[in-house]
Coordinates of all heavy atoms in Angstrom, one line a residue:
I1 N -10.3 -8.0 -5.7 CA -9.1 -8.9 -5.4 C -9.2 -10.0 -6.5 O -10.2 -10.7 -6.7 CB -9.2 -9.6 -4.0 CG1 -9.1 -8.5 -2.9 CG2 -8.1 -10.6 -3.9 CD1 -9.2 -9.1 -1.5
I2 N -8.1 -10.1 -7.3 CA -7.9 -11.2 -8.2 C -7.4 -12.4 -7.4 O -6.2 -12.4 -7.0 CB -7.0 -10.8 -9.4 CG1 -7.5 -9.7 -10.2 CG2 -6.7 -12.1 -10.3 CD1 -6.6 -9.2 -11.3
G3 N -8.2 -13.4 -7.2 CA -7.8 -14.5 -6.3 C -7.6 -15.8 -7.1 O -7.5 -15.8 -8.3
G4 N -7.5 -16.8 -6.3 CA -7.2 -18.2 -6.9 C -5.7 -18.4 -7.1 O -5.4 -19.5 -7.7
V5 N -4.9 -17.5 -6.6 CA -3.4 -17.6 -6.9 C -2.6 -17.5 -5.7 O -1.7 -16.6 -5.6 CB -3.1 -16.4 -7.9 CG1 -3.5 -16.8 -9.3 CG2 -3.7 -15.1 -7.5
G6 N -2.7 -18.4 -4.7 CA -3.6 -19.5 -4.6 C -4.8 -19.2 -3.8 O -5.0 -18.2 -3.2
P7 N -5.7 -20.2 -3.8 CA -7.0 -20.0 -3.1 C -7.0 -19.7 -1.6 O -7.7 -18.9 -1.1 CB -7.7 -21.4 -3.4 CG -7.0 -21.9 -4.6 CD -5.6 -21.4 -4.5
L8 N -6.0 -20.4 -0.9 CA -6.0 -20.2 0.5 C -5.5 -18.8 0.8 O -6.0 -18.1 1.8 CB -5.1 -21.3 1.2 CG -5.0 -21.3 2.7 CD1 -6.5 -21.5 3.2 CD2 -4.1 -22.4 3.2
A9 N -4.5 -18.3 0.1 CA -4.0 -17.0 0.3 C -5.0 -15.9 0.0 O -5.1 -14.9 0.6 CB -2.7 -16.7 -0.6
T10 N -5.9 -16.2 -1.0 CA -7.0 -15.3 -1.3 C -8.0 -15.2 -0.1 O -8.4 -14.1 0.3 CB -7.8 -15.9 -2.5 OG1 -6.9 -16.0 -3.6 CG2 -8.9 -14.9 -2.9
M11 N -8.3 -16.3 0.5 CA -9.2 -16.2 1.7 C -8.5 -15.6 2.8 O -9.1 -14.8 3.6 CB -9.6 -17.7 2.1 CG -10.4 -18.4 1.0 SD -12.0 -17.5 0.5 CE -11.5 -16.9 -1.1
F12 N -7.2 -15.8 3.0 CA -6.5 -15.2 4.1 C -6.4 -13.7 4.0 O -6.5 -13.0 5.0 CB -5.1 -15.8 4.2 CG -4.3 -15.5 5.4 CD1 -4.9 -15.2 6.6 CD2 -2.9 -15.5 5.4 CE1 -4.2 -14.8 7.7 CE2 -2.2 -15.1 6.5 CZ -2.8 -14.8 7.7
I13 N -6.1 -13.2 2.8 CA -6.0 -11.7 2.7 C -7.4 -11.0 2.9 O -7.5 -10.0 3.5 CB -5.5 -11.2 1.3 CG1 -5.1 -9.7 1.4 CG2 -6.5 -11.5 0.2 CD1 -4.4 -9.1 0.2
G14 N -8.5 -11.7 2.6 CA -9.8 -11.2 2.9 C -9.9 -11.1 4.4 O -10.4 -10.1 5.0
E15 N -9.5 -12.1 5.2 CA -9.6 -12.1 6.6 C -8.6 -11.0 7.2 O -9.0 -10.3 8.1 CB -9.1 -13.4 7.2 CG -9.1 -13.5 8.7 CD -8.6 -14.8 9.2 OE1 -8.5 -15.8 8.5 OE2 -8.3 -14.8 10.4
M16 N -7.4 -10.9 6.6 CA -6.5 -9.9 7.0 C -7.1 -8.5 6.9 O -6.9 -7.7 7.8 CB -5.2 -9.9 6.2 CG -4.2 -10.9 6.6 SD -2.7 -10.7 5.5 CE -1.5 -11.7 6.4
I17 N -7.7 -8.2 5.8 CA -8.3 -6.9 5.6 C -9.3 -6.6 6.6 O -9.4 -5.5 7.2 CB -8.8 -6.7 4.1 CG1 -7.6 -6.7 3.2 CG2 -9.6 -5.4 4.0 CD1 -8.0 -6.8 1.7
V18 N -10.2 -7.5 6.9 CA -11.2 -7.3 7.9 C -10.6 -7.1 9.3 O -11.0 -6.2 10.0 CB -12.2 -8.5 7.9 CG1 -13.2 -8.4 9.1 CG2 -13.0 -8.6 6.6
R19 N -9.7 -7.9 9.6 CA -9.1 -7.8 11.0 C -8.2 -6.6 11.1 O -8.1 -6.0 12.3 CB -8.2 -9.1 11.3 CG -9.1 -10.3 11.4 CD -8.2 -11.5 11.9 NE -9.0 -12.7 12.1 CZ -9.8 -13.0 13.1 NH1 -9.8 -12.1 14.1 NH2 -10.4 -14.1 13.2
R20 N -7.6 -6.1 10.1 CA -6.7 -4.9 10.2 C -7.4 -3.6 9.9 O -6.8 -2.5 10.1 CB -5.6 -5.1 9.2 CG -4.6 -6.2 9.5 CD -3.9 -6.1 10.7 NE -2.8 -5.0 10.6 CZ -2.4 -4.2 11.6 NH1 -3.0 -4.4 12.8 NH2 -1.5 -3.3 11.4
T21 N -8.7 -3.6 9.5 CA -9.4 -2.4 9.3 C -10.0 -1.8 10.6 O -10.6 -2.6 11.4 CB -10.6 -2.6 8.3 OG1 -10.1 -3.1 7.1 CG2 -11.3 -1.3 8.0
K22 N -9.8 -0.6 10.8 CA -10.3 0.1 12.0 C -11.8 0.3 11.8 O -12.2 1.1 11.1 CB -9.6 1.4 12.3 CG -10.0 2.1 13.6 CD -9.2 3.4 13.8 CE -9.6 4.0 15.1 NZ -8.8 5.3 15.3
A23 N -12.6 -0.6 12.5 CA -14.1 -0.5 12.3 C -14.8 -1.1 13.5 O -14.2 -2.0 14.2 CB -14.4 -1.3 11.0
S24 N -16.0 -0.7 13.8 CA -16.7 -1.2 14.9 C -18.1 -1.7 14.4 O -18.8 -2.3 15.2 CB -16.9 -0.1 16.0 OG -17.5 1.1 15.4
T25 N -18.4 -1.5 13.2 CA -19.7 -2.0 12.6 C -19.4 -2.6 11.2 O -18.4 -2.4 10.6 CB -20.8 -0.9 12.5 OG1 -20.3 0.0 11.4 CG2 -21.0 -0.2 13.8
D26 N -20.4 -3.4 10.7 CA -20.2 -4.0 9.4 C -20.0 -2.9 8.3 O -19.2 -3.0 7.4 CB -21.5 -4.8 9.0 CG -21.7 -6.0 9.9 OD1 -20.8 -6.4 10.6 OD2 -22.8 -6.6 9.8
Q27 N -20.8 -1.8 8.5 CA -20.8 -0.7 7.5 C -19.4 0.0 7.4 O -19.2 0.8 6.5 CB -21.9 0.2 7.8 CG -23.3 -0.4 7.6 CD -23.7 -1.4 8.7 OE1 -23.2 -1.3 9.8 NE2 -24.5 -2.4 8.4
E28 N -18.6 -0.1 8.4 CA -17.3 0.6 8.5 C -16.2 -0.2 7.9 O -15.0 0.3 7.9 CB -17.0 1.0 9.9 CG -18.0 2.0 10.5 CD -17.7 2.3 12.0 OE1 -16.9 1.6 12.6 OE2 -18.2 3.3 12.5
H29 N -16.5 -1.4 7.3 CA -15.4 -2.2 6.7 C -15.3 -1.9 5.2 O -16.2 -1.3 4.6 CB -15.7 -3.7 6.9 CG -15.3 -4.2 8.3 ND1 -14.0 -4.5 8.6 CD2 -16.1 -4.3 9.4 CE1 -14.0 -4.9 9.9 NE2 -15.2 -4.8 10.4
V30 N -14.2 -2.4 4.6 CA -14.0 -2.2 3.2 C -14.9 -3.0 2.4 O -15.2 -4.2 2.7 CB -12.5 -2.6 2.8 CG1 -12.2 -2.3 1.3 CG2 -11.5 -1.8 3.7
H31 N -15.5 -2.4 1.3 CA -16.3 -3.1 0.4 C -15.4 -3.9 -0.6 O -14.6 -3.3 -1.3 CB -17.2 -2.1 -0.4 CG -18.1 -2.8 -1.4 ND1 -18.9 -2.1 -2.3 CD2 -18.3 -4.1 -1.7 CE1 -19.6 -2.9 -3.0 NE2 -19.2 -4.2 -2.7
I32 N -15.4 -5.2 -0.5 CA -14.5 -6.0 -1.3 C -15.2 -6.9 -2.3 O -16.2 -7.6 -1.9 CB -13.6 -6.9 -0.4 CG1 -12.9 -6.1 0.7 CG2 -12.6 -7.7 -1.2 CD1 -12.2 -6.9 1.7
I33 N -14.7 -7.0 -3.5 CA -15.2 -7.9 -4.5 C -14.1 -8.9 -4.8 O -13.0 -8.5 -5.2 CB -15.6 -7.2 -5.8 CG1 -16.6 -6.1 -5.6 CG2 -16.2 -8.3 -6.8 CD1 -16.8 -5.2 -6.8
I34 N -14.3 -10.2 -4.5 CA -13.3 -11.2 -4.6 C -13.6 -12.2 -5.8 O -14.7 -12.7 -5.8 CB -13.1 -12.1 -3.3 CG1 -12.7 -11.2 -2.2 CG2 -12.0 -13.2 -3.6 CD1 -12.5 -11.9 -0.9
D35 N -12.7 -12.3 -6.7 CA -12.9 -13.3 -7.8 C -11.8 -14.4 -7.6 O -10.7 -14.2 -7.9 CB -12.6 -12.6 -9.2 CG -12.9 -13.5 -10.3 OD1 -13.2 -14.7 -10.1 OD2 -12.7 -13.1 -11.5
N36 N -12.2 -15.5 -7.0 CA -11.3 -16.6 -6.7 C -11.2 -17.4 -7.9 O -11.7 -18.6 -8.0 CB -11.9 -17.4 -5.5 CG -10.8 -18.3 -4.9 OD1 -9.7 -17.9 -4.7 ND2 -11.2 -19.5 -4.6
D37 N -10.4 -16.9 -8.9 CA -10.3 -17.6 -10.2 C -9.2 -18.6 -10.2 O -8.0 -18.3 -10.5 CB -10.0 -16.5 -11.3 CG -10.0 -17.1 -12.7 OD1 -10.2 -18.3 -12.8 OD2 -9.8 -16.3 -13.6
T38 N -9.6 -19.9 -10.0 CA -8.7 -21.0 -9.9 C -8.3 -21.5 -11.3 O -7.5 -22.4 -11.4 CB -9.2 -22.1 -9.1 OG1 -10.5 -22.5 -9.6 CG2 -9.4 -21.7 -7.6
T39 N -8.8 -20.9 -12.4 CA -8.4 -21.3 -13.7 C -7.1 -20.6 -14.2 O -6.6 -21.0 -15.3 CB -9.5 -21.0 -14.7 OG1 -9.7 -19.5 -14.9 CG2 -10.9 -21.5 -14.3
I40 N -6.6 -19.6 -13.4 CA -5.4 -18.9 -13.9 C -4.2 -19.9 -13.9 O -4.0 -20.5 -12.9 CB -5.1 -17.7 -12.9 CG1 -6.2 -16.7 -12.9 CG2 -3.8 -17.0 -13.3 CD1 -6.1 -15.6 -11.8
P41 N -3.5 -20.0 -15.0 CA -2.4 -21.0 -15.1 C -1.3 -20.6 -14.1 O -1.1 -19.5 -13.7 CB -1.9 -20.8 -16.5 CG -3.1 -20.3 -17.3 CD -3.8 -19.4 -16.3
D42 N -0.5 -21.6 -13.7 CA 0.6 -21.4 -12.8 C 1.6 -20.4 -13.3 O 2.1 -20.5 -14.4 CB 1.3 -22.7 -12.5 CG 2.3 -22.6 -11.4 OD1 3.5 -22.3 -11.7 OD2 2.0 -22.9 -10.2
R43 N 1.9 -19.4 -12.5 CA 2.7 -18.3 -12.9 C 4.2 -18.7 -13.1 O 4.9 -18.4 -14.1 CB 2.6 -17.1 -11.9 CG 1.4 -16.3 -12.1 CD 0.1 -17.0 -11.7 NE 0.1 -17.5 -10.3 CZ -0.6 -18.5 -9.8 NH1 -1.4 -19.2 -10.7 NH2 -0.5 -18.9 -8.6
T44 N 4.7 -19.5 -12.1 CA 6.1 -19.9 -12.1 C 6.3 -20.8 -13.3 O 7.4 -20.7 -14.0 CB 6.5 -20.6 -10.8 OG1 6.5 -19.6 -9.8 CG2 7.8 -21.3 -10.9

């Protein structure tokens, strides 16, 4: 996940993925690498 665009939405999608994945143990969840890069200039 390319994050930091914005930071709160980055954290929220991580939560969304965990909550929406059909899983009953830690090991059954998606392996996610998040780069919360707040240095990315404003897109608009």
Side-chain angles (χ1 to χ4, degrees):
I1 298 178
I2 299 176
V5 283
L8 189 56
T10 302
M11 297 301 104
F12 188 29
I13 192 173
E15 178 184 345
M16 275 185 171
I17 291 171
V18 171
R19 291 188 180 278
R20 296 292 289 150
T21 301
K22 186 176 181 180
S24 55
T25 66
D26 293 349
Q27 294 73 27
E28 293 176 346
H29 281 279
V30 182
H31 181 183
I32 306 174
I33 305 169
I34 300 176
D35 183 359
N36 194 43
D37 185 358
T38 55
T39 68
I40 300 172
D42 188 272
R43 284 67 58 205
T44 290

